[in-house]
Amino acid sequence: MPMAPLSDHKTYYEIAQMLNNGTLLKNGAGYCDYVAMFPHVLGYPLVLSAVFRIFGAGVAAAQNFNIVLAVCSEFAVWRSARRLAGRAGGLFSLCAAAFWPSQILYNNFVASEYPFTFLLLCCVWLFVASLQDYDGSTLHPWHCFLELAGMGALLAFAGVIRPLAVIFLVS
C-alpha cells in the first residue's frame, strides 16, 4: 500500500530529506527551531539520510531499511536465546519474536523503533556473550572487556536515536 508520512514519521522523513540535500539550515526554518528545542529528534533522521544517500530518497527505501533491521533484530534474538537456552530455546524465541505484533505493524511507518530495537537487541547479545565467554580458559580477559565496550558504544548510538537508551547506558 502506498504510504505518506504523517506526525512524527513525517518529521523524521522531512528532516532526513533536508539532511540528505544539505538544506536543513536554509529551507528548514521551522525544523531548525524544533531541532533546537528537541535535539533528540535529529538522531534517526541522521541514520535515515545516510540510507537515502545510498539507496535513494523515498518512503520505500526507509521501509526496506526497517525490514532489514527487523530481520537483523531477529538474528540477535536468536543468538542471545540460543546462548541462554540452547537450540530449542533459540528457535522458540526466534518464532515468537518474528511474529511479535510490532514487527508487523510498524512496517508501514518511517519509525525509529526498528534501529532502536536492533541496537538494544545487539547489546543484549553482547552482554550475554560477555558473561558466557569469560571462563578464564578459552578467551583472553580483554575479550570480555571489548564486548562490554562495544555494548556501551552501541547503547550510546541508540541514545542518539532514542534518549531512553541512555538509561540503559548509565545502568
Side-chain angles (χ1 to χ4, degrees), residues 70-146:
V71 171
C72 292
S73 296
E74 301 306 321
F75 178 75
V77 166
W78 173 68
R79 290 298 299 161
S80 300
R82 183 176 167 111
R83 279 184 167 255
L84 290 172
R87 182 179 219 149
L91 287 175
F92 176 77
S93 297
L94 178 65
C95 291
F99 294 109
W100 198 256
S102 64
Q103 291 285 56
I104 299 164
L105 295 175
Y106 280 126
N107 190 33
N108 287 334
F109 300 110
V110 179
S112 63
E113 280 79 9
Y114 283 106
F116 178 71
T117 303
F118 169 70
L119 290 171
L120 285 184
L121 289 172
C122 285
C123 289
V124 169
W125 178 22
L126 283 173
F127 183 70
V128 169
S130 69
L131 292 178
Q132 290 186 346
D133 283 347
Y134 183 68
D135 60 1
S137 63
T138 58
L139 294 175
H140 196 275
W142 279 97
H143 191 264
C144 177
F145 176 77
L146 291 175

